[in-house]
């Protein structure tokens, strides 16, 4: 991919046009614009997990080195999925093109490209379905909205199915309940049959399959990273926390996304977990083998998502824990709440989670046996089990981003807000039509958080950034909180581009700043080493 310079924000926003094209969408060939698409998967990663048709190719190539008979492979793949997934058949047939979803996609809002309308993105696949699986399509062809499958269509699929973050915002507005994210998953599965994956999905999937986490962190390196955080916590508080690893017989297995082990601002969220659990005296352990809560397999195929999800439960069984506590992750929670029972559950060898601190029985986790960290912490705060000093966060004016998968995927709206309002004195909501179930995506989820597609990420994140800018300008908001590792990785670039001066934090970083630990020394800085309000210049 040629070197590309990102336009200035004003140039990018002014280039967005919603004028309809002069031609029908079927007559507009796909154009691979610079910085709008990710890199191709590496052959070694495809081979590592046993995906089909591993081969070298790049999106810029005219010839993608497709296997012989690839058209038949795709048609048979559609047929298999129509018989396997009732939702797929339903979503192919029930759309009436009402347009309720058309302007709801952040990529359409940020690009003006009509093929990023959810209804048209679905038509990319539906038109081929009609041609080969409906009588009208076979007889009438284009008059019935059908078209032949060819290499240009396949490239169009690849380009646009990897401009969908599977956030499901469009499904909120669909009067028929069509979940376009499910169609994107089907499209990606079909592409995967031909070895047409992307690097920022296939690489993490292979790493997670081989090493237990997306970043490929070895057990000793993971433990070493956490020990560095422990040193920093001791410098800050005078308290040495002592987590355990791979300990059999612990009451709780804690699983969090690997993004929290590596790099800012995720490490501060991880430090928050460590401090909270130490203060509680929680009987928990980390696993260096199931060291990933996220599930990039979900962006590849249902089968791979199932394989990667199973490691969490296999490790819980091996260690003999009672239940599982999960960290601030996005797709981990959508997979667990919407798919786990069908794929790997119910986890009857575990117990229904009960907080050892408050005695609360988490009935909502009866099947998964896994509790979200914000549910756990909100319950602690409600029962007055934590000593908190919200004034330590008074230099922050905070808003909250509802991460798509925990929000729309599991309805986790109130618990994070309750936690944040308990540890921060200055909290401001973004506009109502941009939060909760209507939340806008970060624009980088579903495996699109690469560098080579940065313009598309900035365009896709534009609606969310615009809502942040609103509260930044109106209320002086300078910190964007969230409960997703991909958000914590993606938002710094997005904020720096569209809303300079707004930082990014995990919710439990804010908790740790406010947490008054038993026996701690006087704190003068927060987890980032910045002076606490009123402590400026103190050593």
């Amino acid at each position: 991919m040629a070197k590309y310079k990102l336009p200035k924000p004003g140039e990018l926003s002014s280039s967005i046009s919603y004028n309809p094209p002069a031609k029908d969408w079927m007559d507009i060939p796909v154009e691979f614009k610079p910085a709008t698409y990710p890199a191709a998967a590496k052959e070694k990663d495809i081979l590592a997990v046993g995906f089909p048709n591993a081969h070298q190719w790049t999106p810029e190539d005219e010839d993608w080195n497709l296997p012989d008979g690839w058209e038949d492979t795709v048609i048979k793949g559609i047929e298999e999925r129509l018989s396997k997934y009732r939702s797929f058949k339903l979503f192919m047939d029930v759309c009436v093109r009402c347009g309720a979803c058309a302007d709801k996609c952040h990529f359409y809002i940020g690009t003006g490209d009509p093929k990023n309308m959810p209804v048209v993105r679905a038509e990319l696949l539906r038109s081929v379905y009609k041609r080969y699986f409906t009588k009208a399509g076979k007889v009438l062809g284009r008059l019935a909205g059908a078209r032949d499958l060819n290499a240009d269509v396949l490239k169009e699929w690849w380009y646009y199915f990897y401009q969908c973050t599977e956030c499901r915002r469009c499904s909120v507005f669909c009067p028929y309940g069509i979940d376009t994210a499910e169609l994107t998953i089907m499209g990606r599965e079909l592409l995967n049959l031909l070895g047409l994956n992307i690097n920022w999905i296939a690489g993490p999937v292979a790493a997670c399959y081989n090493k237990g986490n997306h970043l490929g962190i070895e057990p000793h390196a993971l433990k070493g990273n956490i020990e560095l955080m422990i040193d920093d916590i001791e410098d800050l508080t005078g308290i040495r926390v002592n987590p355990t690893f791979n300990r059999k017989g612990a009451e709780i297995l804690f699983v969090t996304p690997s993004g929290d082990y590596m790099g800012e601002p995720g490490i501060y969220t991880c430090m928050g977990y460590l401090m909270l659990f130490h203060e509680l005296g929680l009987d928990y352990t980390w696993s260096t083998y199931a060291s990933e809560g996220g599930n990039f397999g979900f962006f590849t195929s249902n089968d791979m998502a199932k394989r990667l999800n199973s490691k969490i439960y296999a490790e819980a069984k091996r260690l003999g824990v009672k239940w599982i506590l999960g960290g601030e992750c996005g797709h981990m929670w959508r997979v667990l709440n919407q798919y786990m029972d069908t794929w790997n559950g119910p986890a009857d060898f575990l117990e229904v989670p009960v907080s050892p601190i408050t005695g609360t029985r988490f009935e909502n986790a009866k099947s998964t046996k896994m509790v979200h960290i914000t549910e756990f912490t909100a319950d602690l705060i409600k029962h007055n089990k934590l000593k908190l000093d919200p004034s330590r966060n008074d230099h922050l004016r905070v808003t909250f981003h509802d991460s798509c998968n925990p929000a729309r995927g599991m309805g986790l709206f109130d618990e994070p807000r309750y936690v944040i309002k308990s540890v921060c004195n200055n909290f401001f909501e973004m506009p109502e039509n941009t939060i909760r179930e209507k939340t806008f995506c970060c624009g980088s989820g579903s495996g699109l958080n690469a560098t080579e597609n940065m313009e598309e990420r900035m365009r896709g994140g534009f609606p969310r950034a615009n809502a942040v800018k609103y509260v930044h300008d109106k209320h002086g908001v300078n910190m964007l909180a969230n409960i997703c590792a991909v958000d914590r990785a993606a938002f710094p670039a997005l904020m720096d581009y569209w809303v300079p001066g707004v930082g990014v934090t995990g919710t439990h970083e804010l908790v740790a700043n406010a947490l008054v630990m038993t026996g701690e020394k006087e704190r003068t800085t927060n987890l980032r080493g910045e002076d606490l309000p009123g402590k400026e210049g103190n050593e």
Side-chain angles (χ1 to χ4, degrees):
M1 190 178 295
K3 190 173 181 180
Y4 180 80
K5 184 178 180 181
L6 193 65
K8 294 180 179 179
E11 296 171 341
L12 196 64
S13 60
S14 64
S15 71
I16 302 170
S17 172
Y18 304 113
N19 295 326
K23 296 181 179 179
D24 185 272
W25 70 266
M26 284 193 190
D27 297 323
I28 302 174
V30 63
E31 179 184 357
F32 282 75
K33 300 176 182 177
T36 63
Y37 57 93
K42 296 177 181 177
E43 186 176 7
K44 67 178 180 65
D45 293 327
I46 300 293
L47 290 170
V49 293
F51 285 159
N53 293 308
H55 66 286
Q56 290 295 121
W57 68 285
T58 65
E60 297 86 358
D61 294 339
E62 182 67 26
D63 183 358
W64 283 11
N65 297 317
L66 299 173
D68 292 338
W70 68 266
E71 298 96 336
D72 209 35
T73 298
V74 173
I75 299 303
K76 287 181 179 178
I78 295 174
E79 183 177 22
E80 178 187 348
R81 282 153 184 79
L82 288 170
S83 65
K84 188 176 182 181
Y85 302 111
R86 184 171 59 179
S87 60
F88 185 30
K89 178 71 165 64
L90 184 67
F91 295 160
M92 285 290 96
D93 289 334
V94 303
C95 179
V96 296
R97 289 79 170 167
C98 69
C101 67
D103 61 347
K104 306 307 186 296
C105 175
H106 47 283
F107 280 117
Y108 174 67
I109 295 172
T111 65
D113 187 338
K115 292 182 185 178
N116 272 323
M117 292 180 179
V119 60
V120 182
R121 188 183 289 112
E123 286 296 303
L124 303 180
L125 180 54
R126 187 178 288 116
S127 58
V128 174
Y129 159 78
K130 287 181 176 179
R131 169 64 181 83
Y132 297 94
F133 295 94
T134 70
K135 289 182 180 179
K138 290 176 181 179
V139 175
L140 299 175
R142 180 161 174 164
L143 286 174
R147 60 177 178 166
D148 291 332
L149 177 63
N150 56 41
D152 289 337
V153 169
L154 191 76
K155 290 181 178 182
E156 188 178 51
W157 282 9
W158 190 89
Y159 188 71
Y160 287 102
F161 287 138
Y162 288 107
Q163 286 186 23
C164 170
T165 51
E166 302 176 17
C167 80
R168 302 173 70 242
R169 188 174 193 264
C170 53
S171 67
V172 173
F173 298 91
C174 177
Y176 293 93
I178 295 173
D179 189 344
T180 306
E182 292 284 340
L183 299 182
T184 293
I185 291 170
M186 294 299 105
R188 290 187 181 187
E189 284 201 3
L190 296 170
L191 291 165
N192 197 62
L193 295 175
L194 306 178
L196 302 179
N197 212 304
I198 70 170
N199 184 50
W200 197 232
I201 291 178
V205 165
C208 196
Y209 186 70
N210 291 321
K211 304 292 185 181
N213 59 75
H214 295 146
L215 299 178
I217 306 170
E218 300 279 2
H220 61 278
L222 187 153
K223 187 171 182 288
N225 285 359
I226 291 180
E227 287 173 345
L228 290 174
M229 297 180 207
I230 291 170
D231 291 340
D232 289 342
I233 291 170
E234 186 173 18
D235 290 342
L236 177 71
T237 66
I239 297 171
R240 185 90 183 166
V241 304
N242 294 296
T244 64
F245 299 88
N246 306 319
R247 177 167 61 91
K248 291 186 175 182
E251 180 178 0
I252 299 166
L253 170 64
F254 180 65
V255 180
T256 197
S258 56
D260 287 347
Y261 308 134
M262 298 284 289
E264 299 179 5
I267 57 171
Y268 304 122
T269 302
C270 196
M271 290 169 68
Y273 306 145
L274 291 164
M275 294 167 66
L276 175 65
F277 299 159
H278 178 87
E279 180 63 17
L280 296 173
L282 201 65
D283 181 15
Y284 81 106
T285 194
W286 303 69
S287 168
T288 58
Y289 303 104
S291 53
E292 179 64 70
N295 195 325
F296 270 48
F298 187 54
F299 310 140
T300 300
S301 70
N302 284 286
D303 287 342
M304 180 51 71
K306 175 181 177 179
R307 287 161 70 182
L308 297 187
N309 180 72
S310 65
K311 72 183 183 300
I312 297 173
Y313 288 88
E315 192 66 350
K317 180 176 285 188
R318 184 183 77 86
L319 296 175
V321 300
K322 292 182 179 179
W323 55 280
I324 308 169
L325 182 61
E328 296 184 21
C329 183
H331 33 88
M332 169 169 71
W333 290 103
R334 181 176 169 201
V335 166
L336 281 162
N337 282 269
Q338 294 189 319
Y339 299 92
M340 212 289 285
D341 268 4
T342 303
W343 290 344
N344 303 114
D348 291 336
F349 62 92
L350 295 172
E351 299 178 7
V352 177
V354 176
S355 171
I357 312 302
T358 68
T360 297
R361 180 181 170 92
F362 293 94
E363 293 289 345
N364 60 306
K366 184 178 288 187
S367 179
T368 64
K369 310 298 193 297
M370 194 163 178
V371 173
H372 194 285
I373 185 69
T374 57
E375 296 176 287
F376 182 72
T377 302
D379 178 63
L380 294 170
I381 295 171
K382 180 180 178 182
H383 288 89
N384 297 313
K385 298 298 183 181
L386 300 177
K387 186 177 181 181
L388 301 169
D389 181 2
S391 70
R392 290 176 175 176
N393 286 315
D394 276 355
H395 59 301
L396 303 177
R397 300 177 71 79
V398 182
T399 193
F400 178 68
H401 164 71
D402 290 278
S403 302
C404 299
N405 287 312
R408 279 187 287 267
M410 66 179 294
L412 195 70
F413 302 128
D414 295 319
E415 291 86 347
R417 287 175 168 81
Y418 179 77
V419 171
I420 293 171
K421 291 177 182 178
S422 299
V423 299
C424 297
N425 289 320
N426 306 304
F427 177 78
F428 306 91
E429 288 279 19
M430 286 180 273
E432 184 178 356
N433 64 336
T434 72
I435 60 174
R436 295 182 176 264
E437 70 275 3
K438 297 177 183 178
T439 185
F440 276 115
C441 181
C442 67
S444 299
S446 189
L448 304 188
N449 187 24
T451 55
E452 64 272 12
N453 60 334
M454 188 60 77
E455 179 178 319
E456 197 68 18
R457 287 176 53 193
M458 296 302 101
R459 288 183 179 276
F462 173 65
R464 168 46 76 222
N466 199 39
V468 175
K469 188 177 188 303
Y470 175 83
V471 289
H472 171 67
D473 293 348
K474 184 174 182 178
H475 302 294
V477 162
N478 59 10
M479 186 60 73
L480 176 61
N482 61 80
I483 52 172
C484 174
V486 169
D487 286 334
R488 289 190 286 281
F491 273 141
L494 190 73
M495 293 298 104
D496 287 347
Y497 186 77
W498 290 114
V499 201
V502 176
V504 180
T505 180
T507 298
H508 277 76
E509 178 185 347
L510 302 174
V511 172
N513 283 336
L515 181 64
V516 180
M517 300 178 71
T518 303
E520 70 174 25
K521 69 180 185 181
E522 183 182 5
R523 289 202 222 172
T524 58
T525 66
N526 60 19
L527 268 61
R528 304 189 184 200
E530 301 164 343
D531 289 334
L532 290 175
K535 304 291 184 179
E536 294 84 355
N538 292 354
E539 293 294 332

